[in-house]
């Protein structure tokens, strides 16, 4: 299982801030997880689409699409940050 | 270094005193306070809500301070960032840097703030007369962070 977190606009659009999902065989990076979520359709396809400005983290460090993902990892998807 | 994420307000005077107390070699203290404005993108802002990613937010700011300490001679640094709902004129963020001389303190303080704006996971949602909206990231903040690559 991996933990997937969503923040800000994404959390609202998807209607959830966190979930546990089983990592299917063959899914081994961030892009793979994103594709898995987009395949759910509806808001998932809309919010996580490739043309949306999206950032991601693996185990609380900013990561790009090819970052490896393994069982037990904490992944997060969120919009570009706007703090300060 | 100290990094605190909190909903409570902060007292810049008390924080500076605390940071200075420890070290008589400190010759310079630079600080920055970010404040909620009552306008953004031409619309009135009644209030603003800040969301963060507990754990990663603290780690990313600690990492930014570590980078600053690697580039400038800094004795200590403190970042306090508020979350939750804030109204115009309320304080959002505090950065304090202590060093022997002003050059290092100014540069490190500005660097920490520029990197925080583009790398620390916070998101602002503001309430305007036409409803609530998420604040979009600004290209100008990326440019501000990016210019530090050319220096140092």
């Amino acid at each position: 299982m991996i933990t997937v977190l969503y923040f800000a606009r994404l959390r609202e659009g998807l209607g959830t801030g966190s979930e546990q999902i089983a990592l299917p065989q063959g899914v081994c990076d961030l892009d793979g997880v994103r594709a898995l979520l987009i395949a759910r359709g509806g808001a998932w396809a809309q919010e996580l689409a490739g043309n949306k400005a999206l950032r991601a983290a693996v185990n609380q460090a900013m990561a790009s699409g090819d970052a490896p993902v393994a069982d037990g990892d904490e992944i997060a998807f969120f919009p570009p940050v706007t703090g300060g | 270094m100290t990094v605190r994420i909190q909903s409570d307000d902060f007292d810049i005077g008390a924080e500076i005193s605390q940071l200075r107390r420890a070290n008589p070699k400190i010759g310079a203290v630079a600080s920055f306070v970010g404040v909620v404005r009552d306008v953004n993108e031409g619309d009135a802002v009644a209030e603003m809500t800040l969301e963060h990613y507990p754990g990663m937010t603290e780690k990313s700011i600690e990492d930014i301070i570590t980078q600053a300490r690697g580039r400038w001679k800094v004795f200590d640094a403190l970042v306090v960032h508020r979350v939750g709902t804030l109204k115009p004129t309320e304080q959002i963020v505090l950065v304090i840097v202590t060093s022997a001389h002003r050059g290092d303190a100014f540069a490190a303080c500005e660097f920490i703030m520029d990197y925080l704006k583009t790398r620390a996971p916070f998101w602002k949602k503001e309430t305007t007369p036409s409803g609530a909206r998420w604040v979009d990231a600004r290209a100008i903040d990326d440019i501000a962070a990016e210019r530090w690559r050319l220096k140092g």
Side-chain angles (χ1 to χ4, degrees):
Chain A
M1 300 293 277
I2 57 169
T3 302
V4 189
L5 307 176
Y6 311 100
F7 290 95
R9 194 195 309 257
L10 240 69
R11 176 180 52 74
E12 284 188 347
L14 299 172
T16 183
S18 145
E19 64 175 321
Q20 301 272 323
I21 60 176
L23 209 54
Q25 218 151 29
V27 176
C28 54
D29 63 17
L30 209 45
D31 279 339
V33 175
R34 187 171 174 182
L36 192 70
L37 297 168
I38 287 173
R40 291 171 171 175
W44 298 91
Q46 208 180 322
E47 293 294 339
L48 295 160
N51 60 349
K52 285 252 177 157
L54 201 66
R55 299 286 182 271
V58 176
N59 296 324
Q60 304 192 350
M62 289 283 192
S64 51
D66 58 358
V69 171
D71 223 28
D73 282 349
E74 177 180 296
I75 290 172
F77 292 103
F78 43 81
V81 304
T82 56
Chain B
M1 77 175 85
T2 304
V3 175
R4 294 203 316 264
I5 312 299
Q6 62 189 42
S7 51
D8 291 340
D9 198 10
F10 50 79
D11 176 345
I12 184 174
E15 300 291 354
I16 288 177
S17 299
Q18 179 69 26
L19 219 58
R20 287 182 52 198
R21 185 175 304 158
N23 191 346
K25 292 186 172 53
I26 290 171
V29 180
S31 65
F32 173 85
V33 177
V35 173
V36 182
R37 295 185 306 148
D38 68 356
V39 64
N40 190 29
E41 308 277 336
D43 295 310
V45 174
E47 63 180 31
M48 160 177 291
T49 301
L50 275 137
E51 177 173 334
H52 78 302
Y53 179 174
M56 181 175 168
T57 303
E58 291 86 342
K59 271 192 215 174
S60 63
I61 297 172
E62 284 163 12
D63 178 61
I64 291 164
I65 294 175
T66 300
Q67 287 184 54
R69 297 180 86 147
R71 294 179 67 159
W72 296 279
K73 286 178 183 163
V74 166
F75 286 128
D76 204 358
L78 169 139
V79 174
V80 181
H81 202 301
R82 294 177 71 194
V83 290
T85 300
L86 303 173
K87 295 204 180 308
T89 75
E90 284 200 76
Q91 306 186 111
I92 307 174
V93 59
L94 169 66
V95 179
I96 303 174
V97 175
T98 60
S99 62
H101 304 287
R102 69 185 185 285
D104 288 315
F106 275 135
C109 186
E110 192 172 14
F111 169 89
I112 288 169
M113 202 50 223
D114 283 345
Y115 266 45
L116 185 152
K117 291 284 279 188
T118 55
R119 284 159 174 76
F122 291 99
W123 302 274
K124 285 182 185 138
K125 190 179 193 179
E126 59 192 12
T127 305
T128 71
S130 49
R133 66 183 182 197
W134 289 99
V135 175
D136 283 325
R138 300 186 315 159
I140 196 170
D141 289 330
D142 286 324
I143 293 164
E146 204 58 35
R147 74 203 158 100
W148 292 103
R149 282 184 191 276
L150 309 172
K151 293 185 186 175

